[in-house]
């Protein structure tokens, strides 16, 4: 059992790891009570997607709802006059989408972006989600 002070610190770290979103206090508080996860320690790191932060060539994992499940696909941002490439062109489980993106990223060191739509909330077991500004 986690004491209140530890839980408060964990909730704060979850909030920070998700880019400080507003209105998620209660969700962060409940997730902070799960001592099997710590999103701020190690693991994979992703950047939250927005059109102005992902340059051409970037990989984006789009997570959305399909019925009562969260599904996703991976796409690569093309130049403005070319259609984006979707790998492999069908929806998959989130974990499979993360693995596919990691395999296509290889050792490039480039960030992998994540787009959350249809009220999908970030699950800390997927890694850490941060905001990145375009440079």
């Amino acid at each position: 059992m986690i004491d209140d002070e530890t839980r408060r610190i964990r909730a704060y770290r979850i909030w920070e790891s998700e880019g400080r979103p507003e209105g998620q206090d209660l969700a962060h508080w409940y997730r902070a009570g799960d001592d099997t996860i710590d999103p701020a320690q190690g693991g994979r790191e992703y950047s939250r997607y927005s059109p102005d932060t992902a340059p051409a060539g970037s990989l984006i994992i789009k997570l959305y709802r399909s019925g009562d499940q969260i599904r996703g696909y991976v796409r690569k941002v093309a130049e403005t006059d070319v259609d984006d490439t979707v790998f492999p062109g069908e929806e998959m489980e989130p974990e499979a989408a993360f693995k596919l993106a990691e395999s296509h990223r290889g050792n490039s060191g480039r960030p992998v972006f994540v787009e959350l739509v249809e009220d999908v909330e970030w699950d800390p077991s997927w890694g850490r989600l941060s905001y990145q500004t375009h440079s």
Side-chain angles (χ1 to χ4, degrees):
M1 180 93 170
I2 296 175
D3 63 70
D4 282 348
E5 180 63 16
T6 301
R7 191 173 190 174
R8 184 188 65 74
I9 292 168
R10 287 173 56 83
Y12 179 84
R13 290 170 70 193
I14 291 169
W15 175 70
E16 288 257 307
S17 75
E18 293 182 0
R20 301 179 176 189
E22 292 187 32
Q24 298 295 314
D25 323 20
L26 197 54
H28 294 156
W29 178 257
Y30 284 118
R31 287 202 315 250
D34 182 353
D35 62 359
T36 64
I37 60 168
D38 188 352
Q41 296 294 321
R44 301 175 291 194
E45 184 160 343
Y46 303 97
S47 295
R48 187 176 289 265
Y49 170 76
S50 69
D52 61 334
T53 60
S58 297
L59 293 171
I60 301 169
I61 301 168
K62 183 173 184 174
L63 298 173
Y64 56 92
R65 292 205 180 277
S66 178
D68 62 348
Q69 297 181 340
I70 296 175
R71 306 294 286 174
Y73 66 85
V74 179
R75 67 184 175 98
K76 185 174 183 179
V77 177
E79 298 294 334
T80 54
D81 60 341
V82 180
D83 289 337
D84 291 351
T85 303
V86 176
F87 305 100
E90 59 187 59
E91 65 179 35
M92 62 191 84
E93 297 288 329
E95 192 58 41
F98 289 111
K99 287 179 182 176
L100 182 63
E102 293 293 339
S103 72
H104 281 284
R105 174 170 63 171
N107 295 325
S108 72
R110 297 182 80 172
V112 172
F113 293 87
V114 175
E115 181 178 9
L116 302 173
V117 297
E118 300 172 9
D119 297 325
V120 172
E121 290 187 27
W122 182 254
D123 181 337
S125 70
W126 296 332
R128 181 176 177 186
L129 184 63
S130 63
Y131 285 90
Q132 177 173 329
T133 57
H134 183 64
S135 34

